[in-house]
């Protein structure tokens, strides 16, 4: 089903969202105040328009009210990002995703009614930091300020052990929600299943507990 999206701000982040949505066959209205950016995207997005998104009348003229999901990817100009978000909430857009530049910006965006605030540099930084700590930490996803999901390779320390033996819930307060083996994913892992070195565990828990788990069972030191 085709759905309508608008992407405001065609920097690296907004541009990449616009390209991906378009390649998935979605209708995308691309907006940027920079003519060069619009020329770059005119053959990618369904519509590409030069406009200043802080101007309510312009956004109305563009029919933004008929679009369900708008992504605001203006980075450096925090004032323009905030003003644009206010205009979009005033216009009653159902779903507004905004890129935050820092924690303060994020707080304001949440207060003024952004539905999703994303912080790609910070989140990617965290993911890479965890991956640098150990090659066995494959991914890291923040759920809230103090809870996350991690994807870890069983590695040497868990190889040949069962979930009962490792007793991750009692020892670390985290839950193994799934185990990936080759191309299969087992969402209700058996307690007596013997882990292989290449198995990938998907674990959910409080950051402090995940950190203890990583130190004891994942990091090779
Ligand atoms: P990235 O890191 O994703 O490359 P960035 O954080 O550096 O982006 P900017 O380059 O500041 O973000 O902004 C992204 C785009 O938003 C730019 O192409 C810029 O022209 C556009 N932009 C900035 N202000 C407005 C505005 N008021 N209306 C429309 N577009 C705008």
């Amino acid at each position: 089903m085709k759905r309508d999206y608008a992407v405001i701000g065609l920097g690296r982040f907004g541009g990449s969202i616009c390209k991906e949505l378009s390649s998935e066959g979605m209708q995308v209205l691309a907006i940027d105040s920079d003519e060069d950016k619009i020329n770059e995207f005119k053959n990618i997005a369904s519509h590409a328009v030069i406009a200043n998104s802080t101007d309510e009348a312009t956004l109305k003229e563009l029919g933004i009210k008929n679009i369900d999901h708008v992504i605001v990817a203006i980075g450096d100009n925090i004032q323009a990002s905030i003003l644009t978000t206010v205009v979009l909430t005033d216009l009653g857009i159902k779903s507004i995703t905004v890129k935050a530049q820092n924690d303060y910006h994020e707080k304001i965006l949440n207060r003024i009614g952004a539905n999703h605030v994303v912080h790609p540099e910070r989140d990617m930084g965290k993911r890479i930091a965890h991956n640098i700590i150990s090659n066995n930490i494959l991914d890291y996803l923040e759920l809230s300020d103090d809870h996350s999901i991690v994807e870890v390779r069983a590695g040497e320390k868990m190889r040949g052990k069962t979930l009962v033996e490792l007793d991750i819930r009692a020892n670390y307060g985290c839950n193994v929600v799934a185990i990936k083996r080759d191309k299969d994913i087992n969402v209700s892992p058996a307690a007596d299943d013997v882990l292989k070195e290449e198995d990938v565990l998907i674990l959910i828990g409080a950051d402090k507990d995940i950190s203890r788990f990583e130190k004891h069972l994942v990091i090779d030191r």
Side-chain angles (χ1 to χ4, degrees):
M1 189 181 74
K2 287 200 173 181
R3 290 177 61 191
D4 277 325
Y5 297 87
V7 178
I8 301 176
L10 302 167
R12 282 162 302 177
F13 181 68
S16 150
I17 293 182
C18 181
K19 283 181 189 156
E20 204 60 29
L21 288 172
S22 304
S23 76
E24 290 292 320
M26 306 294 167
Q27 295 285 329
V28 183
L29 167 64
I31 299 172
D32 202 294
S33 48
D34 179 350
E35 189 178 352
D36 291 342
K37 288 277 174 205
I38 292 304
N39 285 334
E40 194 184 324
F41 281 85
K42 69 177 180 226
N43 295 325
I44 297 169
S46 348
H47 307 278
V49 185
I50 306 167
N52 176 1
S53 60
T54 61
D55 185 46
E56 184 168 342
T58 308
L59 290 188
K60 265 188 182 164
E61 268 171 41
L62 289 173
I64 204 118
K65 273 180 154 187
N66 302 320
I67 292 177
D68 284 344
H69 198 142
V70 181
I71 297 108
V72 182
I74 300 172
D76 289 346
N77 190 343
I78 291 180
Q79 188 175 331
S81 156
I82 292 171
L83 277 173
T84 302
T85 307
V86 170
V87 170
L88 294 170
T89 46
D90 282 354
L91 291 173
I93 303 298
K94 284 197 201 120
S95 186
I96 308 168
T97 296
V98 194
K99 175 189 161 177
Q101 201 70 350
N102 55 48
D103 291 345
Y104 188 56
H105 186 193
E106 180 173 6
K107 218 179 233 180
I108 295 172
L109 293 170
N110 281 318
R111 290 232 179 118
I112 60 177
N115 305 94
H116 311 280
V117 179
V118 292
H119 216 312
E121 289 92 350
R122 184 195 61 189
D123 293 348
M124 192 48 82
K126 282 189 184 180
R127 284 178 169 186
I128 290 173
H130 280 259
N131 189 247
I132 287 169
I133 292 171
S134 166
N135 285 334
N136 285 333
I137 302 172
L138 305 174
D139 209 350
Y140 180 91
L141 181 71
E142 196 176 68
L143 294 178
S144 70
D145 282 349
D146 46 18
H147 283 79
S148 304
I149 290 182
V150 284
E151 232 185 63
V152 295
R153 197 177 288 118
E156 257 181 59
K157 292 190 181 177
M158 289 182 259
R159 182 184 56 200
K161 304 237 167 62
T162 64
L163 291 182
V164 171
E165 282 175 289
L166 293 169
D167 209 359
I168 293 169
R169 192 180 303 162
N171 291 333
Y172 305 102
C174 313
N175 278 299
V176 177
V177 290
I179 296 179
K180 285 199 229 173
R181 179 172 293 168
D182 301 322
K183 285 194 171 117
D184 296 328
I185 179 152
N186 183 353
V187 290
S188 51
D192 57 355
D193 204 6
V194 179
L195 293 175
K196 294 182 178 173
E197 190 160 346
E198 289 309 308
D199 285 352
V200 173
L201 280 67
I202 298 167
L203 203 84
I204 187 166
D207 290 341
K208 61 176 179 22
D209 294 329
I210 288 179
S211 172
R212 277 192 306 126
F213 167 84
E214 286 177 356
K215 272 189 200 130
H216 293 156
L217 289 179
V218 186
I219 299 170
D220 335 296
R221 261 187 274 128

